[in-house]
Amino acid sequence: MWCELQCPDCHAALADLRALRERYGDRLDIRLRHFPLAKHKHAYAAAQAAEEALAQGQGWPYVEAVLARTEELAARGEKLLLEVAGELGLDTEELDTALIDGRHLLIVDADEAEGKAIGVTGTPTYVIAGERLDGGKSQEGLRARIEEIADRLLADQG
């Protein structure tokens, strides 16, 4: 899933992600890929912060917590990123240092470049079994399509 943590559409996709995780558990590997959009001032920092949260063992909880507060992120920026880290018990000084020293820039840039290479133009965009599904235009029917593809893949494996 190519995602951007200041994106309202990605915020809306949270319910679908949770439902997919609940339905498939470990059988479906949901990987977050960063695609910060230029129109969102704090998206690039949020992507780096998410990578630091992952390094500290709280990647998905951090991503979900920030996505739940996209409007607040737009207004408060890095202060919110540090606040969320503190709420999750992360080392906020280390997260702040990671934002300053840019240790996760290469990961974020690589995700973005890979997304552009396969035609990602907005977020959220999903790729499952080589099929790209653009959730930035509409979330309508997206989870059902992902489930349809996942069910077929899992049946083929079984």
Side-chain angles (χ1 to χ4, degrees):
M1 173 188 179
W2 269 266
C3 179
E4 195 240 65
L5 299 184
Q6 195 177 333
C7 170
D9 292 327
C10 291
H11 169 92
L14 257 181
D16 285 344
L17 282 177
R18 288 181 180 133
L20 289 168
R21 260 203 231 103
E22 188 175 307
R23 178 173 175 168
Y24 296 103
D26 292 343
R27 297 178 305 146
L28 185 66
D29 182 18
I30 301 173
R31 293 186 201 155
L32 176 75
R33 299 296 175 93
H34 301 287
F35 202 81
L37 302 170
K39 66 182 178 181
H40 293 138
K41 181 176 166 184
H42 304 293
Y44 202 72
Q48 293 175 72
E51 284 300 315
E52 180 56 31
L54 178 64
Q56 293 187 33
Q58 294 284 332
W60 275 111
Y62 187 83
V63 165
E64 288 192 15
V66 173
L67 276 176
R69 297 162 76 174
T70 54
E71 286 184 26
E72 199 176 343
L73 175 59
R76 297 185 54 221
E78 289 185 17
K79 288 180 183 170
L80 176 75
L81 297 174
L82 293 168
E83 185 178 300
V84 169
E87 290 167 3
L88 293 172
L90 296 174
D91 182 336
T92 56
E93 284 185 30
E94 195 61 32
L95 191 133
D96 191 35
T97 301
L99 291 174
I100 293 166
D101 70 21
R103 68 182 74 157
H104 302 294
L105 287 174
L106 289 177
I107 294 169
V108 175
D109 289 346
D111 282 356
E112 184 177 23
E114 183 182 349
K116 285 179 180 176
I118 65 164
V120 174
T121 58
T123 56
T125 296
Y126 305 87
V127 176
I128 181 166
E131 185 173 340
R132 190 179 75 237
L133 306 169
D134 184 357
K137 293 184 176 116
S138 172
Q139 298 289 310
E140 187 76 30
L142 207 54
R143 185 169 85 206
R145 182 71 184 123
I146 292 168
E147 289 173 348
E148 175 187 315
I149 296 168
D151 289 343
R152 186 182 71 233
L153 288 172
L154 292 170
D156 290 347
Q157 289 177 0

